[in-house]
Amino acid sequence: ALRMRNIYDREKTSDPRRYVPMTEFYWPAELPDGQVLVPVVGTGELYVNIAPKTVINSSANFRIYNGAAYIRVEAAVSGSEKGYYSANCSGWGRDDASVPLAKTERAWIFKTTSAGVTDDLYVCFSTTSSQSGPGPYALEWATSEAGPWVYVADYIAGNWEVTPGPKVFAFKLPDGAKNQQTLFIRCRISSDERVDNKGVIAAGGTNRMIYMSLKKKVN
């Protein structure tokens, strides 16, 4: 049997959460021009290393802008067929002299802190690409944006033109990431391969980040 019912009539459990967000990004409302990506929970930043940190909805290249998320994080957000918004970035495959980064060095950067935390840490995020956007990524962490970066895992972004919803990922960080005053996590393109496996990343290929968080596991 299968039933679908209103989520508002569910009672919340009184049990404590086992995975507690320390820093959490998601966007219930449209992102205005000039805004930087700040978390809903905790402190930190989310940006890409190929574009300005501020939202630029009118620019054609190397920009963070609004994109439909097609997913909701809280039941309170309703009334939009698009659900939440996402931070979308274009230009991943563009060859531009103003961005002296090889394609496999282009990345989302998540700056946060794990100071005082000795519990296990998890990076949880939801992401998808346009069909000409990047597919393979590597997840890494460091204590400085300059590195050295420590490998965590590989993943392949979802293809939003094929799959009805974004992919969701959760990776446990190594113990070395605990108790760091400044913690950087990056999602870096690991090859110049489109998500649809039809050649190299296009100049206008996009990738959107729908949700990003650092969580600690508590018992």
Side-chain angles (χ1 to χ4, degrees), residues 76-157:
V77 176
S78 60
S80 169
E81 63 182 21
K82 295 180 179 179
Y84 274 68
Y85 287 91
S86 68
N88 202 359
C89 184
S90 66
W92 294 94
R94 182 178 168 88
D95 293 315
D96 193 307
S98 66
V99 181
L101 287 173
K103 289 180 183 177
T104 53
E105 288 297 317
R106 300 176 184 183
W108 288 96
I109 307 291
F110 174 20
K111 181 182 179 182
T112 183
T113 180
S114 61
V117 177
T118 57
D119 302 294
D120 288 341
L121 294 173
Y122 290 80
V123 177
C124 307
F125 57 97
S126 179
T127 183
T128 187
S129 290
S130 63
Q131 66 181 4
S132 64
Y137 277 83
L139 180 71
E140 301 163 324
W141 75 273
T143 56
S144 167
E145 189 173 349
W149 290 92
V150 180
Y151 170 83
V152 178
D154 292 310
Y155 71 90
I156 298 177

Side-chain angles (χ1 to χ4, degrees), residues 1 5 31 35 41 46 55 57 59 88 109 121 123 125 127 147 156-157 180 200 204 216:
R5 63 187 179 91
L31 301 171
Q35 176 178 299
V41 175
L46 181 64
V55 175
N57 280 302
S59 175
N88 202 359
I109 307 291
L121 294 173
V123 177
F125 57 97
T127 183
I156 298 177
Q180 297 293 345
V200 299
K216 63 180 180 179

Side-chain angles (χ1 to χ4, degrees), residues 38-219:
V38 295
V40 176
V41 175
T43 60
E45 294 181 277
L46 181 64
Y47 53 94
V48 291
N49 62 3
I50 60 170
K53 289 185 178 182
T54 54
V55 175
I56 308 174
N57 280 302
S58 60
S59 175
N61 300 306
F62 299 119
R63 61 183 176 130
I64 292 177
Y65 65 104
N66 285 306
Y70 305 108
I71 193 170
R72 294 193 175 104
V73 179
E74 294 176 343
V77 176
S78 60
S80 169
E81 63 182 21
K82 295 180 179 179
Y84 274 68
Y85 287 91
S86 68
N88 202 359
C89 184
S90 66
W92 294 94
R94 182 178 168 88
D95 293 315
D96 193 307
S98 66
V99 181
L101 287 173
K103 289 180 183 177
T104 53
E105 288 297 317
R106 300 176 184 183
W108 288 96
I109 307 291
F110 174 20
K111 181 182 179 182
T112 183
T113 180
S114 61
V117 177
T118 57
D119 302 294
D120 288 341
L121 294 173
Y122 290 80
V123 177
C124 307
F125 57 97
S126 179
T127 183
T128 187
S129 290
S130 63
Q131 66 181 4
S132 64
Y137 277 83
L139 180 71
E140 301 163 324
W141 75 273
T143 56
S144 167
E145 189 173 349
W149 290 92
V150 180
Y151 170 83
V152 178
D154 292 310
Y155 71 90
I156 298 177
N159 181 345
W160 75 272
E161 296 180 60
V162 173
T163 308
K167 282 187 176 181
V168 178
F169 298 92
F171 295 106
K172 183 177 182 292
L173 292 178
D175 288 345
K178 299 177 183 178
N179 195 26
Q180 297 293 345
Q181 188 63 41
T182 304
L183 177 65
F184 287 88
I185 299 161
R186 75 176 179 179
C187 299
R188 177 183 59 81
I189 294 175
S190 57
S191 79
D192 188 11
E193 183 181 344
R194 288 165 51 136
V195 74
D196 63 3
N197 297 314
K198 294 182 180 179
V200 299
I201 304 167
T206 66
N207 177 263
R208 66 188 67 194
M209 197 61 72
I210 294 114
Y211 175 83
M212 172 68 81
S213 71
L214 177 68
K215 297 182 180 182
K216 63 180 180 179
K217 182 181 179 182
V218 295
N219 295 317

